[in-house]
Amino acid sequence: MPAKSTATAARVEHGYEFFGPPGAFVISFGLPILVYIFTFACNEISGCPAPSLLSPRSLSLDQLKLEVGWPRDGIWGLASWKATNAVLAYYLLSLILYRVLPAAEVEGSVLSSGGRLKYRLNTLYSNTATLAALAAGTIAQGANFPVWTFISENYVQILTANIIISYAIATFVYVRSFSVKAGNEELRELAAGGHSGNLLYDWFIGRELNPRVTIPLIGEVDIKEWCELRPGMMGWIILNCNWCIQQYRNFGFVTDSIICITIVQAVYVFDSWLFESAILTTMDITTDGFGMMLSLGDLVWLPFVYSMQTRYLSVHPVSLGPIGLAGTLGLIVLGFFIFRSANSQKNAFRTNPADPKVAHLKYIETKTGSKLLTSGWWGVARHINYFGDWLQSWPYSLPTGFAGYQVLAAGAGAASDGAFVMKDGRAVVQGAARGWGMIFTYFYILYFAILLVHRDRRDDEKCHRKYGEDWKKYKQTVRWRIIPGVY
């Protein structure tokens, strides 16, 4: 069959996702712009949001540029060689630690070719070593440790560097995917929905399922698995820690709210490192190709958007108090318990169904030989782990309260009720901005809900294609998608 016909057949069978090429274009080029908007609109120069945004009728572009800290060099000031080289050094350090530190060799899920790829797993060791080095530097030099001051002073340029890298990696794996050959001994294969024949869509969704590259002195690296857990997830923790330090530099103290968010998000990230092998059974690894969607999500969206709350609190401190702190921690514990228990149960059943912990669970055996759990956590909802994951998103945002602030010049508003005075004399008050900052600090909850619902829909379509009538039977047994009794 001609290549064009094969691609067409694949597209008909799998279908476009994310609204096809138009959606791929909007996500690939629109989301980076949105991250810039978040970065500039909520800032420590004038407020969150910038004052002019609250008075659109009198909005002046020149005034807005001053309020958001737009670079003097214009768009070229969004990037710098200094920041780019620093980010590249950070990536190189991660690769070196990946190679030199002890690792467990684990086999991934069975590929369509019948083989299994081997993964070198040591994210916990390598990223913990990085955090230990940062902790040592902070202990030795305090809040002015160069890493922290560099991040705060070059934040926009660091963001740009990661955006450029995400585009570069996505383009590299797309071009390289055309060297995949059927029946190759390297176990390379194309993702089911990644070779539609449309260049933009395939570049976005990812043509190759598990692209790997051999780097001199480093060895073979699985690009997708490495990006999923290393630079971005690690960057999330680093940025949170930086904003804690920034709050201390601004005010001379650190509040319970920013510490709470930093710790609970760190626990979430550490959990993914500790149970790294569990990622090998997720849809990201087993089904999705690696393209711009995952590259941008892993390296840009996750670290820079997920840390918006701590960035906000670094300028406008909020104190939770004992009751608020207890409520926040209680919600995070509940969400984490559901998330981890469900995922552990599924992973244990997939790897060893005879394990006494899961041997009692009921299931439906499909014609493909797969077993679909119908009891335990997975009898409650088809994606009960998503519900636990979403519950955890609320404590990330709730500590910011009715977010929004204005930054006043030194001496102005210092005597106002509820004002926080920075060390440089500027005052931070809520004023007319109260509540408007929630657009930024609560965005994560809304976004994450949409993401999880969309992932559920994608998984439902994938399973329907794979299991056919058995999947319909399964859905009749396990009725709820994510939230029992609701959705």
Side-chain angles (χ1 to χ4, degrees):
M1 181 180 289
K4 183 176 181 181
S5 299
T6 302
T8 302
R11 181 170 65 252
V12 171
E13 179 184 353
H14 195 277
Y16 281 137
E17 296 179 283
F18 299 96
F19 303 102
F25 178 85
V26 171
I27 294 173
S28 298
F29 301 101
L31 288 191
I33 295 175
L34 183 60
V35 180
Y36 279 124
I37 291 174
F38 285 152
T39 299
F40 285 113
C42 184
N43 63 82
E44 69 166 11
I45 297 172
S46 62
C48 180
S52 290
L53 296 176
L54 298 176
S55 305
R57 291 184 179 180
S58 59
L59 182 64
S60 164
L61 183 58
D62 290 337
Q63 178 63 25
L64 183 61
K65 287 182 177 180
L66 290 175
E67 292 178 355
V68 303
W70 185 255
R72 293 181 179 179
D73 297 335
I75 194 170
W76 300 109
L78 297 177
S80 74
W81 286 111
K82 179 174 65 174
T84 302
N85 289 335
V87 172
L88 289 173
Y90 165 70
Y91 278 64
L92 178 60
L93 173 63
S94 182
L95 286 168
I96 293 173
L97 293 175
Y98 164 79
R99 174 48 52 192
V100 302
L101 293 179
E105 294 284 344
V106 178
E107 286 189 333
S109 299
V110 178
L111 301 170
S112 60
S113 61
R116 288 190 175 191
L117 290 168
K118 290 185 177 181
Y119 292 83
R120 179 180 173 83
L121 308 182
N122 66 356
T123 299
L124 180 64
Y125 296 145
S126 60
N127 286 354
T128 300
T130 303
L131 286 175
L134 292 173
T138 305
I139 292 172
Q141 300 186 35
N144 291 317
F145 180 47
V147 171
W148 306 129
T149 55
F150 184 87
I151 292 175
S152 293
E153 293 169 359
N154 299 273
Y155 179 73
V156 172
Q157 291 73 25
I158 291 172
L159 166 62
T160 301
N162 280 279
I163 291 174
I164 293 173
I165 290 172
S166 68
Y167 278 109
I169 292 178
T171 302
F172 170 76
V173 296
Y174 174 78
V175 173
R176 190 171 179 271
S177 69
F178 288 94
S179 64
V180 174
K181 299 177 181 178
N184 66 86
E185 297 180 358
E186 297 176 322
L187 300 178
R188 295 178 64 193
E189 57 184 56
L190 300 180
H195 47 106
S196 68
N198 182 279
L199 187 154
L200 174 63
Y201 180 80
D202 292 345
W203 170 76
F204 163 76
I205 206 73
R207 288 191 85 247
E208 189 170 353
L209 183 63
N210 301 111
R212 295 185 166 204
V213 63
T214 300
I215 303 174
L217 302 180
I218 301 295
E220 185 179 64
V221 178
D222 186 286
I223 298 176
K224 179 162 64 172
E225 201 275 339
W226 185 78
C227 286
E228 285 271 307
L229 293 178
R230 293 175 187 264
M233 294 286 262
M234 181 71 209
W236 184 10
I237 292 183
I238 290 176
L239 287 175
N240 279 343
C241 290
N242 177 73
W243 300 127
C244 287
I245 298 294
Q246 183 64 42
Q247 187 186 74
Y248 181 80
R249 283 204 301 268
N250 283 340
F251 302 101
F253 59 81
V254 181
T255 58
D256 55 4
S257 59
I258 197 170
I259 292 175
C260 177
I261 293 176
T262 299
I263 290 178
V264 297
Q265 290 185 345
V267 169
Y268 179 86
V269 174
F270 264 91
D271 175 75
S272 70
W273 299 344
L274 185 62
F275 298 96
E276 185 174 5
S277 60
I279 196 177
L280 303 183
T281 61
T282 62
M283 184 167 63
D284 283 358
I285 300 296
T286 63
T287 305
D288 292 336
F290 186 79
M292 188 60 191
M293 178 181 72
L294 288 179
S295 181
L296 181 69
D298 292 341
L299 307 180
V300 178
W301 188 258
L302 187 151
F304 291 93
V305 173
Y306 289 18
S307 60
M308 278 198 301
Q309 294 88 357
T310 53
R311 181 169 177 260
Y312 169 88
L313 291 170
S314 71
V315 184
H316 183 250
V318 174
S319 179
L320 295 175
I323 296 178
L325 189 60
T328 299
L329 293 177
L331 188 56
I332 195 73
V333 168
L334 175 63
F336 183 78
F337 172 73
I338 296 174
F339 172 78
R340 175 44 54 206
S341 298
N343 279 342
S344 295
Q345 188 178 80
K346 178 184 68 174
N347 193 53
F349 186 80
R350 284 183 173 180
T351 54
N352 182 18
D355 188 327
K357 295 180 180 179
V358 295
H360 65 285
L361 297 177
K362 298 178 182 179
Y363 59 85
I364 293 176
E365 186 160 4
T366 68
K367 295 180 180 62
T368 65
S370 299
K371 298 176 180 178
L372 304 175
L373 287 171
T374 58
S375 66
W377 279 112
W378 300 92
V380 178
R382 301 199 289 272
H383 277 118
I384 188 66
N385 58 329
Y386 288 2
F387 179 49
D389 215 3
W390 186 63
L391 280 179
Q392 293 178 81
S393 70
W394 282 86
Y396 296 173
S397 300
L398 288 173
T400 64
F402 290 98
Y405 62 78
Q406 295 175 312
V407 180
L408 307 180
S416 301
D417 291 338
F420 294 96
V421 181
M422 295 186 182
K423 289 184 177 180
D424 62 9
R426 290 182 299 157
V428 180
V429 299
Q430 287 207 282
R434 178 180 169 83
W436 289 103
M438 296 173 70
I439 295 172
F440 308 99
T441 63
Y442 285 77
F443 170 80
Y444 178 76
I445 295 176
L446 175 62
Y447 152 75
F448 204 46
I450 295 172
L451 172 71
L452 294 176
V453 169
H454 183 257
R455 285 178 67 91
D456 168 76
R457 299 279 177 170
R458 292 182 64 212
D459 189 60
D460 183 70
E461 292 177 4
K462 182 202 74 173
C463 290
H464 180 72
R465 289 193 299 268
K466 182 176 181 180
Y467 302 122
E469 291 300 319
D470 289 327
W471 184 248
K472 293 181 180 180
K473 179 181 177 182
Y474 168 73
K475 291 200 295 184
Q476 291 175 350
T477 304
V478 184
R479 293 177 52 209
W480 302 107
R481 290 175 176 268
I482 299 175
I483 305 177
V486 178
Y487 175 76

